Amino acid sequence: MELKEKLLSSFMAFEERVDVHSELHDVRTLAIKNFESKGFPTKKEEAWKYTSLNTILKNDFSVFPKKENSIEFSEVKKYFLHEIDTYKVVFVDGVFSSFLSSTTHDELDVCLMSSALNKPKYKMIIDEYFNKIANHDESLTSLNTAFANEGAYINIPKSKVVEKPIEIIYFSTGSEAALLVQPRNLVIVGENSHVQIIERHQSLNESRIESGPVLTNSVTEIFAQKRAIVDYYKIQNDNLEANLIDNTYVSQKQESIASVNTFCFGGNLTRNNLNFYHFGERIVSNLNGITIIGDKQHVDHYTLVQHATPNCESHQDYKGIFSDRSTGVFNGKIFVEKEAQKTNAFQKSNNILLSDKATINAKPQLEIFADDVKCSHGCTIGQLDETAMFYMQSRGIPKKEAKALLMYAFSNAVIESIKIPELKQRITKIIATKLGVKIGFDL
């Protein structure tokens, strides 16, 4: 049975497992009908022109985990930002782990999506926000909506500066031959509030001789209210059996600042769909990313910033380093509506190819219908500067370290956008490892 048919036949069984009110049932039903109509995206679609899911979809994925798996903190400590105290919402094979988590209901809600979807006290919030900014026409988003049940629910009240970062981590143990997980996150940040969130999807099957593939189809909706500040970090450094399709939708109101920083280092296939929508003036949107991959890895960034109101800014800065037979895709779109006068929108994609067989497909796009704007986009594809390499080697720096320093300098602008010092240090170490050098010199 093909995966699409398996999912359609599993939908009724899923509905019987969750206790939901009729309105949510209607939302799920419409979503599964849309997925049934459209199916999985193919390369015939312009947005998926350079990314094929065919090989992945041939796997016989388990839609529901057969059993709950427990893991010890010592096994996964390295994946947490353990240097500082954080709130933690942790899932193992799609199931919440209370043992590894540290949630709160005191001054703010950091808890489970299943609780928010199923408990009456959350009904007004769910009715107002759930599935409201997500693209209902996007087939994989619809698939996630149909099966939405578990994930992180974060609701920050007005005028609250969250003192501790929030970590959302999804572990897969590899106990299934092949596993499909579909987490759903909802983040609401009230007026004048500030929150820092770190999201990670991590397979733990590296030690298994015959580890099966994992496919994660994730959807996150973020609502930044007036003058809210949201710093969101996505760490994507999974093993080569992992595949991630991430759909993130950001709604911003007046004078809010939302930043999404994406760090792609691991995984077999990664697709990041990042969509920003403006609903007020003097909004700032920041989209930053670093991709460093090799082997036959594939990373696809698809971004959209829809400027619908005047006096707003958006800044996109994506850096990519590709070696071996790896493939990168950057498809960035800035859409400026007629009413969005005084828009300042900037988009940049810079890429380095370290191998003749590495590939980057870049397609920056501007659609502007206003006449008083500052909009620009730029894309570069090249190799390391041989003159700079020669200069550094002539000053006694070994070739390997010189190469690493140049690549680190290339990525530095995005690294500097990290506002959590411990996370910045962690990312720096990951980059050093990817570049094949030890941090024995000052990066």
Side-chain angles (χ1 to χ4, degrees):
M1 182 186 298
E2 292 187 358
L3 182 58
K4 179 182 176 182
E5 281 66 38
K6 186 175 184 178
L7 287 164
L8 293 174
S9 63
S10 301
F11 177 70
M12 291 186 65
F14 169 78
E15 281 271 87
E16 292 175 359
R17 291 175 53 172
V18 293
D19 181 20
V20 296
H21 53 76
S22 59
E23 293 178 15
L24 196 54
H25 169 77
D26 293 340
V27 171
R28 294 186 196 279
T29 302
L30 287 174
I32 199 66
K33 286 181 178 179
N34 183 60
F35 173 73
E36 182 179 14
S37 172
K38 297 191 173 184
F40 287 98
T42 69
K43 295 182 75 171
K44 293 181 180 180
E45 301 175 37
E46 184 64 27
W48 289 81
K49 183 177 180 180
Y50 301 108
T51 300
S52 173
L53 300 177
N54 290 343
T55 302
I56 299 170
L57 299 180
K58 291 178 181 178
N59 293 290
D60 185 21
F61 288 105
S62 298
V63 179
F64 309 115
K66 293 182 176 62
K67 62 178 181 178
E68 294 186 17
N69 293 283
S70 60
I71 54 179
E72 296 297 324
F73 180 72
S74 58
E75 299 177 63
V76 295
K77 179 181 178 180
K78 64 180 180 180
Y79 300 117
F80 291 99
L81 200 63
H82 53 78
E83 298 89 347
I84 57 175
D85 190 20
T86 63
Y87 295 111
K88 301 175 183 66
V89 190
V90 184
F91 303 86
V92 180
D93 289 338
V95 179
F96 175 66
S97 171
S98 58
F99 173 70
L100 295 174
S101 298
S102 173
T103 60
T104 179
H105 293 282
D106 293 337
E107 297 181 11
L108 56 148
D109 255 330
V110 179
C111 62
L112 304 184
M113 194 66 188
S114 57
S115 296
L117 290 174
N118 299 316
K119 291 185 178 180
K121 74 173 186 176
Y122 293 105
K123 184 180 183 304
M124 290 183 62
I125 298 293
I126 293 301
D127 289 346
E128 183 174 357
Y129 293 104
F130 178 74
N131 204 41
K132 292 301 187 290
I133 195 66
N135 185 352
H136 297 176
D137 292 327
E138 210 283 320
S139 64
L140 291 175
T141 297
S142 295
L143 176 62
N144 178 285
T145 300
F147 287 89
N149 184 49
E150 202 54 279
Y153 171 82
I154 299 170
N155 190 355
I156 312 300
K158 291 175 62 175
S159 304
K160 175 68 177 178
V161 177
V162 183
E163 296 180 357
K164 302 189 295 186
I166 300 171
E167 295 187 89
I168 307 170
I169 302 186
Y170 296 91
F171 291 117
S172 56
T173 61
S175 60
E176 307 281 349
L179 179 64
L180 168 64
V181 291
Q182 301 197 78
R184 183 64 172 244
N185 304 314
L186 178 60
V187 179
I188 305 163
V189 185
E191 292 183 22
N192 303 305
S193 294
H194 182 195
V195 66
Q196 297 174 319
I197 301 172
I198 304 165
E199 177 188 324
R200 183 166 189 158
H201 303 264
Q202 186 66 49
S203 299
L204 303 176
N205 51 7
E206 297 177 28
S207 60
R208 290 169 57 92
I209 298 175
E210 297 180 358
S211 59
V214 176
L215 173 58
T216 301
N217 178 35
S218 176
V219 172
T220 301
E221 293 179 284
I222 302 172
F223 293 85
Q225 308 292 18
K226 293 180 181 179
R227 295 175 296 280
I229 301 176
V230 182
D231 295 320
Y232 207 102
Y233 302 92
K234 295 177 179 288
I235 315 300
Q236 299 169 349
N237 190 29
D238 216 335
N239 65 39
L240 293 178
E241 293 295 329
N243 306 279
L244 171 64
I245 300 168
D246 182 272
N247 291 282
T248 298
Y249 302 92
V250 184
S251 166
Q252 291 185 250
K253 290 191 176 178
Q254 178 183 333
E255 297 180 36
S256 63
I257 302 174
S259 304
V260 176
N261 302 272
T262 308
F263 303 97
C264 302
F265 306 120
N268 173 46
L269 181 146
T270 303
R271 164 80 176 208
N272 289 302
N273 296 321
L274 185 54
N275 306 271
F276 279 70
Y277 303 98
H278 291 181
F279 298 98
E281 295 192 33
R282 294 179 293 282
I283 288 170
V284 178
S285 302
N286 298 309
L287 299 76
N288 301 305
I290 297 176
T291 301
I292 304 177
I293 55 174
D295 297 317
K296 295 182 180 180
Q297 292 176 276
H298 182 104
V299 171
D300 183 346
H301 293 288
Y302 188 93
T303 69
L304 166 68
V305 181
Q306 185 162 352
H307 287 270
T309 49
N311 302 301
C312 294
E313 301 180 23
S314 67
H315 306 275
Q316 301 184 51
D317 190 1
Y318 283 81
K319 309 287 188 181
I321 300 174
F322 305 92
S323 60
D324 303 321
R325 294 176 177 267
S326 62
T327 303
V329 182
F330 176 78
N331 192 334
K333 184 174 182 180
I334 298 172
F335 188 92
V336 183
E337 297 185 13
K338 185 177 180 180
E339 295 79 10
Q341 303 293 343
K342 303 293 183 182
T343 289
N344 182 7
F346 175 74
Q347 181 189 89
K348 182 169 64 174
S349 171
N350 300 125
N351 305 279
I352 293 176
L353 300 181
L354 299 178
S355 165
D356 292 338
K357 296 183 179 179
T359 304
I360 174 68
N361 300 285
K363 186 182 178 184
Q365 301 176 73
L366 295 176
E367 288 192 31
I368 304 172
F369 297 93
D371 53 17
D372 186 8
V373 301
K374 291 181 181 179
C375 295
S376 64
H377 62 173
C379 174
T380 62
I381 302 171
Q383 298 176 323
L384 286 176
D385 188 339
E386 292 296 331
T387 303
M389 284 283 291
F390 176 79
Y391 175 82
M392 295 176 75
Q393 288 179 265
S394 69
R395 294 299 184 271
I397 300 175
K399 183 177 181 179
K400 186 177 181 180
E401 279 74 11
K403 184 178 179 181
L405 280 170
L406 284 177
M407 288 189 288
Y408 183 84
F410 172 77
S411 308
N412 191 57
V414 176
I415 296 172
E416 288 302 312
S417 67
I418 304 174
K419 297 179 181 178
I420 304 174
E422 294 80 7
L423 181 61
K424 182 184 290 188
Q425 184 180 28
R426 181 74 62 88
I427 295 297
T428 299
K429 289 181 178 179
I430 294 175
I431 291 175
T433 301
K434 291 292 292 186
L435 299 180
V437 296
K438 294 181 180 179
I439 301 208
F441 53 90
D442 186 17
L443 281 176

